[in-house]
Structures are given as structure tokens and as C-alpha cells.
Amino acid sequence: MSRARYDWSAIAADPRFIDLQRRKHRFLALLMLFAVTSYFLLPVGAAYYSELFSRRVAGQINLGILFALAQFVITLAVALIYVRRANRDFDRSTEEIVRGAYQNRKAA
Amino acid sequence: MAGGLKKLLWVLPFCVAAPAIAQGAVSDKLRSETFLIFGIIVVLTMLVTYIAAKRVRSADDYYAGSGISGMQNGWAIAGDYLSAASFLGIAGLISAWGYDGFMYSVAWLVAYISVLLLMAEPCRNIGKYTLADILAYRNDPRKARIVGVVSVLTVSTFYLARKWSAAAC
């Protein structure tokens, strides 16, 4: 139904669209790399650096527990960073491209 | 041995809930706190269910057809994943294995980052309800839906097989 509303191949060739895709993929790859690295430090740390992880910070709480709890904060932060970037940057660029494509179609 | 261990993993969550068989599963010192938190979560779940049920008037509301906000949808998905497996299972894992069980629960959480960045991101603003809808929108609808159905059945079969083997051991 809404399939016919836009000229998809024109959008795909739009330099703004290509630029948006590039920016988006780079951002997502970096964010993913950061999240995966920070998570895999947890099992690696627990397995190979147990002296470091078992260092007490306060009472029964050691570095290992703090690092595991920090994963919750990191996950929330990654989600918020993505939502912020998507709302402010990606959605705005997408809207521009869509509006341009719609006008082109009307003009044609 | 492995079968016994698996059985222990499945039974442990229920030990937390049932005082009669909770020998050693919960330390005596923290027993009342354990049941208090368990009770609070049960009451909260019932409350949310009650509030949600009052708002639903037709079958259309059930499928979120009348439009729900992003925040409400997020809560709904979060509630979906607070299943017996993630909630009781994780509690049992931490109770049985301590830090190792805790690491497992962290993995569960961090996995949502890949769901967000790899699965949810391409679905953003498409306005479709399921993954098959999105594939059908961008490709040949008939073929895309067949692929969707086949992958759902494949995943469900393996998921069921695991549950059956766990229930039978």
C-alpha cells in the first residue's frame, strides 16, 4: 500500500541516505564493540585475574561484585546513548530524506 | 551426575518459594527477607495485571491495536521477560553458585544490547508489529512470511526439546 508512495531506488542512491547509513553503522559497531568488550572483561577477569577481582573494597564487597554491578549501569548507559543519538540525529536525517523523496515524487 | 545436577537447577528456584523444602537453599538469617521480597514482587505483578486488565475493553486493545506509548511497550516487554526462567531461575542460580550465578544473570542483561543494536535498530520507525511484517514489507511478502514461519518453528522446536529433556531428566 505505502510501497508505491516512494521511489525506493532514488532514496537508496541519495547521498544523504548513504551518509546516514555509514554514520549509523559506524556508531552501532562502536557501541556494540564497547558493550561486548566491557562484558567479556567480566568472565575473563573472574577466570584469570581472580586476585584482582577478590580484592575487598568495603566489608564483604569486592571488585568483582562491583564490576558485575557496573555492567547494569553500562547496559543502561549504552541504551540511553543509543536512544539519544537515534532521536536527535538519525530520526532527523531520515525525516529530511523522506521529505525530499516525497517532494521529488510530487514534482515528477 | 549431570542429570542430577540439571534436576537440582530446576528444583532450586522452587525451593526458594516453598519453606517446607527450603532446607539449606536459603540461609536462616535471610529467610524472612527472601520471602518479603518474593511477596512484594508477586503483589506488584498482580497489581499491574489488575490495572492493565481494567484498561482493556476489546480484543483490539489486547493486540495493542489502539496504540500504546513507547514507555508502556517497554514495560510490557520487561514484564514478558520476568518469566519463571529469568526471575526464579536466576534467583536459584545465585543461591546455588554465588558469583558464578550472578555472572550468568549479567550475561542475560548484556545480551539485550545486541537485541537493541542489531535487531531493534533496523525495525525502528517502520511501524510494523512483528519481524515477519518488516521482512514482508521490504521483500516479497509471501516468501518473507514463509521464511518467518520456518524460522519460528525451527527455534521453537529446539527450545521445546530443551524443556522436554529438562522436565524428563
Side-chain angles (χ1 to χ4, degrees):
Chain A
M1 25 172 223
S2 53
R3 199 166 244 281
R5 267 177 61 202
Y6 302 112
D7 183 358
W8 294 109
S9 43
I11 291 179
D14 191 329
R16 284 175 302 178
F17 176 74
I18 295 164
D19 179 55
L20 172 67
Q21 288 292 91
R22 221 195 50 232
R23 273 188 296 142
K24 204 190 243 185
H25 287 158
R26 198 172 46 203
F27 173 72
L28 292 175
L30 279 175
L31 207 55
M32 193 70 203
L33 187 72
F34 169 71
V36 167
T37 313
S38 79
Y39 168 68
F40 277 100
L41 284 179
L42 179 65
V44 168
Y48 299 104
Y49 300 93
S50 49
E51 315 87 55
L52 179 70
F53 263 39
S54 56
R55 196 173 288 168
R56 295 277 169 91
V57 177
Q60 293 290 318
I61 298 172
N62 60 27
L63 274 178
I65 290 179
L66 283 185
F67 188 69
L69 285 174
Q71 294 296 324
F72 287 81
V73 181
I74 290 170
T75 303
L76 190 68
V78 166
L80 289 176
I81 288 168
Y82 163 71
V83 168
R84 209 180 142 95
R85 182 80 194 263
N87 279 336
R88 294 196 172 177
D89 182 358
F90 300 151
D91 281 5
R92 207 166 289 172
S93 308
T94 309
E95 207 176 305
E96 263 175 41
I97 295 164
V98 168
R99 209 181 298 132
Y102 194 65
Q103 277 162 0
N104 281 347
R105 192 192 149 269
K106 274 179 145 179
Chain B
M1 177 58 206
L5 197 68
K6 233 192 272 176
K7 198 181 275 178
L8 182 75
L9 273 180
W10 275 91
V11 170
L12 258 168
F14 302 104
C15 296
V16 180
I21 47 167
Q23 295 294 327
V26 183
S27 74
D28 288 339
K29 230 173 24 184
L30 294 171
R31 185 157 292 176
S32 48
E33 285 89 339
T34 306
F35 285 112
L36 184 71
I37 291 172
F38 188 76
I40 288 172
I41 291 172
V42 169
V43 169
L44 267 177
T45 311
M46 303 285 266
L47 195 71
V48 170
T49 311
Y50 176 72
I51 293 168
K54 266 201 346 196
R55 289 166 50 110
V56 174
R57 281 184 197 85
S58 68
D60 214 29
D61 290 338
Y62 184 75
Y63 298 112
S66 54
I68 56 172
S69 72
M71 184 65 101
Q72 283 172 325
N73 209 357
W75 279 108
I77 293 169
D80 220 19
Y81 281 96
L82 272 180
S83 61
S86 54
F87 171 52
L88 292 172
I90 291 288
L93 276 174
I94 295 175
S95 154
W97 307 109
Y99 191 69
D100 293 354
F102 186 41
M103 271 169 58
Y104 187 81
S105 74
V106 172
W108 204 299
L109 175 86
V110 174
Y112 284 119
I113 289 295
S114 49
V115 175
L116 172 72
L117 299 181
L118 303 180
M119 298 289 294
E121 151 62 28
C123 307
R124 189 181 167 84
N125 285 342
I126 292 184
K128 299 287 175 233
Y129 199 57
T130 65
L131 281 176
D133 283 345
I134 291 161
L135 290 173
Y137 179 62
R138 291 190 171 180
N139 305 292
D140 181 337
R142 203 181 139 77
K143 282 178 192 159
R145 281 184 200 285
I146 290 171
V147 168
V149 165
V150 168
S151 56
V152 162
L153 287 178
T154 311
V155 171
S156 303
T157 306
F158 284 107
Y159 189 63
L160 263 182
R162 201 204 63 193
K163 290 212 162 189
W164 280 332
S165 89
C169 77

